[in-house]
Amino acid sequence: MLIRLLLAAWLCVIAAPGEAADVQNDQPTADAAKPGKKAKAKDQSKPNDPAKPKKQKKPKSNVPAPDELIDPDGPIDPNLVEQGDGGGGWRFSWKQHPSVRYGSVFRLDGQAKFQEDARSTYEGAVDVPGWELHRNRIGISGHLFKKVEYEVERELTEKELTDKDILAGVTPASHWKDVNVNLTFVKNAQVQVGKFKVPFGLDQLTGVTRNDFIFRSLGANYLAPARDIGAMVHGRFFKHGLNYWAGVFQHDGDNARSKKIQGGDQTFAARVTGMPFRKIASGSIAAIEVGSSFAISALSDDSFRPNGLRGRTVVSQDTFAEPVYVKGRRRRWEADADWAAGPFAARTEYTWVSDDRNGQGLGDENLPDARARSWYVAGVWVVTAEDKMRPLRPAADFLQGGWGAVEVVARMERLWYDSVGPAGVAFRNPRAETILPTGDRVVTVGANWILNRFTKLQVNVIREHLEDSDRNPVTNGGALWSRIVRLQFVL
Amino acid sequence: MLLNRARAFILVLAVAALLPRAVVSQTPAVDPSDALFDDTVLHDINLTINDRDLASLHVNFLSNEYYPVNFAWRGMSLQGVGIRSRGTGSRSGVKPGLRIDFDRYATEQRFLGLKSVIFRNQTQDPSHLRERLSMLFFRRMGMKAEREAHARLFFKNSYAGLYSIVESVDKVFLKKNFGEDTSNLYEFAFDNSVGHVPFVFKYLGSDANLYVPVPFKPETKENDTQPQFIERLIWTIDQAGDASWRQTIAEFLDLPKFIRHLAIESFLAEEDGLTGDYGPNNFYFYRYEGKSLFQFIPWDKSNTFWEAPSPNYFILRNVEDGPVDHRNRLVQRALKYPDLWTLYLDTLEECANSASAGATTGANPQPGWLAAEIQREYLQIRDAALADTLIFTNAEFEKAIADLKVFAAGRSDAVKAQVAAYRARGPLP
C-alpha cells in the first residue's frame, strides 16, 4: 500500500508541468551494451523514410525517455556529460535520473522501474491477484573513464520461499537482475562481463519497459534463455548494418530455471542482426532488420526433478506443458524480423528448441529429443501519428499541451511442445517416448497510452486456447480470456 | 385422437409395470477393481521405473515428487502411471510408501476403474496385518471402509517388499460407497509437529480459514472448499447449548453412525484414531451434496491392536483418561447422552460377538472369526514377509503375529467385561 501511495504521489509530481522537457541526454551508456537494447537502438537511428507522410508529428525535443538509448556506437560525449555546471569536480544533478558525477571521469545514475498491474482472468483461477506490483526495480549505472560502463539492477519484490519450498529443495530466484561491466576499448569488439541477457531472441532482448505489450510472447518467456552470468564480446559494423554478439554463460538463463527446474548448464550463444535491404532497396523495405540466434547448452539429470522446459499460460500461469526428463545437449535456434515505418511497426519471430533425452526412458534407454517451438506476429499503429520507436515518445506530453501518444497493438502467437521422430502412441508423462503434443495459441490486442517520458498506461485483452483439453483449466475446453491494465513509471 | 393417445400411454405404463424388475435390480454391478482387492490371493505388481527415479524415490522420500512408471498386474499393463512417496510417520527412504496415481498424466486414465491406489509400506506394523484386518472388520460391521489386499511389489522385476494395496478415498470411492462424488471431501491433516496443540473439534473462531485447509485438507473441489460448513459444524460440536445440541448436531452428523465408528475403533484398540493418544486422527470427512451432513470415513489403521498381546485396551481411553486437551470434544459431548452411551456399549458388545463368532471350546476348539482371519492372512503373506527384511526382522514379524493371535483370543471377553462394568455406571458425567 505504501508503495502504491508513493507511486501515486510520483505520478502527480511528474504529470505536473515542469522541467522534464529540459532533461539532458544523460542516459547510462551501460544500457547500450545490452544486445537487446541495441536492437532497439536502430529504431531511433533508422534512415529517413522518403515515404513518410508530411503531417507526422515530431517530438518537441530530442531528449530521450528514461529508458531510451543513445546511439550505442557513438562515443560518450564528454561535452554532454559536462553540460550544466561544466568543469570537473564532484557534482550532483537530478534531471532525467539522480546522478553523481566527477568531471567526465566518473558517473553514477540512479534508476527505478515500477509496474502496477490490475488483472482479471477466468473464473476459478488460482493465485491470480487482482492487483500486483509486477516490477519494483531500482538500479544504478554509469561509467568510469568513459571506457568502463557498469550497471546494477535489483528487484525489490521477488517472492520469498516458504518453509515448505525450502524443505522440498527448491531454490530461490535471484533478486539481482543486470549486474555487469562493459569494456568499450575496442568499439567493434566490446567485452561485457557479469550478469546480463544471453543474446538470444528479439522479444526477450527488448527491454520490458519498452515492449509494445504488457507481457512478452510465450516463446520469449519460456524458450529464450534471458539473463545469466557470463562473458560476451559484441560489436557492430557498417553503421548498424551488421551487429553481432557471442558469449559463454554459466547456465542457460533464468527462463530455463524455476523453483523446481534446475535448468541447463554451460551455454554458448551467438546472435547476428542486420539490415540486408538497406543497400539494395529504398523506402520502408530498407528498414527491415533481420536477426538470428543460436545457443547450445549442456543438460544434466543431476536433479531428481525433470529438467526440461515448461509452458504456462500468460496470466494465470497454469502449466500446460510440464517439463520432461532430459540429458545431453539443449539446442536453440531463432530467426526474427523487425520493421518500422512512420507510425507503423511489425515484428515476427520463430524459435525452435530441442533437448536430448539420453538414458531417460523407463528402462534407462535413450528417448527421441524433446522439442519446443514458438512463433508470433505482432503489429503496432501509432494512432497519434508519431514515428514508431521503442520507447514511443509523445509529440506533446499529457497535461503539457497535449494528450501524450496512443498506439494500438495486436499479436498472434503459438507455443507448443512435442518430441521429434516417428509418431508413436503419445503420452503426457515426463518419460514418454512420444510426448503428447501440447500448446497454447494466443491472441493479444491492446492499446498503450504514453502520457510522458515517465508514465505509460497499457491495456491488453488476451485470448488463449490450450491445444490439449486435458490441461485446460477451463471446463469444456473453452478459451481463457484475460484482461490486464498496467501503469508503468520509469525513472 | 387425444383419448387414443391417453389410452396408449396408460397401456405403455401398464406394460412397463409388468416388466420383471426383480431381474434388473438383482443384477449386481460388476466392479472390475474387486479383482485387485481380492484378498484371497497374494498379488504381484511390477513397476518399470527409470533407475535414477528409483534412486531418487529412496533418497528424496520426503518429497511428493511424482515419477512415471509402467504398472503391470496379472498380465495387464498400464503406461504413464505416476507414483510418489507418501505417508507421515510411515515415510521411509528404505521402504517408501507409495501413492499410485493412474490418472497423474492423463485425467481420464483409469485402471480397473480406479484413479489411484495406496501401497502401504507397513513400517509401523511388524505384523503387516493390522490395517487390513481393521478395514475388513469395519466392513464386516457394515461400515464403509477401504478395501485392502497384500501384494509383493517388484521394481523392474526385482522384489521390493511386501506391501498392502489400499483403496484410495477419492471420487471413485465416494461414488461406490455413497452414491455421489460431487461435494467436498477433506482429509483430516493431523499436525504432528513437536509442541503442537491437537485439534479436538474445539471451536477456534468464526473465521472459516481456521479449519480449512488445516486441519481439514480439501481432497476434492480444491477451488470451492466450502469451509463455512466445517466452521458451523465445529461451532455446533463445541459451542451449541446442551438443550439444543442433539437437535442442532443432527443437521451435521448422523450421531448413531459416528458412535458405531467410534466403538469399532475402540474394540480394535485404535491408538491413533478418533480418540487417539495424540488427539483425533486418521479419518476422511465427506459432506453430502446439497446438505450440511458430514460422513466420517476411517483411514490408516496401522496402530490398531495397540498393546497387543494384551487384550485389555481401555474402551474409554482418551475419553476418561489421557491429557484433557487431547480429548475429542465430539465424543465427550455425545457420550453424555444415555441413548448414545448405550449405543456405544452395545456396539462394542456387537464387535466382541462378531470377532469371536464361530469360536468353540472343548475337545476340538475352533478359533473365532478374528483369530481365524489372522491365521488365514498370516499364511498368505508369510513367505513374502520373511523375504522382506527392510524394516523388520523375521523374528519381529513372527512375534507380532503371535501377539495378534493372543489379542484376538482374549479381546472379546476383555471388552465384554469392560462393557458390563460401565453399563452399571452410566454415561459420562
Side-chain angles (χ1 to χ4, degrees), chain B residues 39-59:
Chain B
D39 67 0
T40 64
V41 294
L42 180 64
H43 299 264
D44 284 342
I45 289 172
N46 187 42
L47 302 179
T48 305
I49 183 172
N50 183 278
D51 283 348
R52 285 190 59 83
D53 291 351
L54 183 56
S56 177
L57 186 66
H58 288 82
V59 172

Side-chain angles (χ1 to χ4, degrees), chain A residues 396-454:
Chain A
D397 285 351
F398 181 60
L399 296 181
Q400 292 195 26
W403 289 94
V406 174
E407 60 184 358
V408 292
V409 298
R411 179 173 66 198
M412 290 182 64
E413 61 179 306
R414 185 186 180 206
L415 168 64
W416 74 109
Y417 300 77
D418 60 8
S419 52
V420 301
V425 179
F427 293 95
R428 294 184 181 89
N429 79 74
R431 293 196 189 275
E433 182 175 357
T434 302
I435 298 171
L436 190 75
T438 179
D440 190 7
R441 293 174 183 269
V442 187
V443 176
T444 305
V445 295
N448 302 324
W449 179 22
I450 298 89
L451 285 75
N452 51 44
R453 71 191 70 249
F454 302 103

Side-chain angles (χ1 to χ4, degrees), chain B residues 203-211 227-228 230-232 235 239:
Chain B
Y203 190 61
L204 303 176
S206 59
D207 181 359
N209 295 320
L210 294 169
Y211 311 96
Q228 69 277 12
I230 300 269
E231 184 271 335
R232 281 294 86 194
W235 181 90
Q239 300 284 309

Side-chain angles (χ1 to χ4, degrees), chain B residues 387-398:
Chain B
D388 174 5
T389 54
L390 291 169
I391 305 295
F392 300 109
T393 64
N394 289 340
E396 287 171 327
F397 167 68
E398 295 289 7

Side-chain angles (χ1 to χ4, degrees), chain B residues 282-337:
Chain B
N282 286 320
F283 61 89
Y284 279 82
F285 217 34
Y286 179 68
R287 183 176 62 81
Y288 287 94
E289 181 64 55
K291 300 178 182 176
S292 306
L293 187 65
F294 285 89
Q295 167 76 46
F296 281 89
I297 301 166
W299 180 247
D300 189 353
K301 297 300 158 205
S302 301
N303 282 16
T304 49
F305 301 90
W306 201 249
E307 297 178 349
S310 167
N312 297 320
Y313 189 90
F314 183 29
I315 62 172
L316 293 175
R317 179 158 168 152
N318 296 313
V319 177
E320 284 204 336
D321 65 1
V324 173
D325 64 355
H326 285 202
R327 295 179 189 176
N328 187 324
R329 282 286 293 157
L330 175 59
V331 175
Q332 294 287 314
R333 296 198 73 171
L335 292 185
K336 288 180 178 176
Y337 291 87

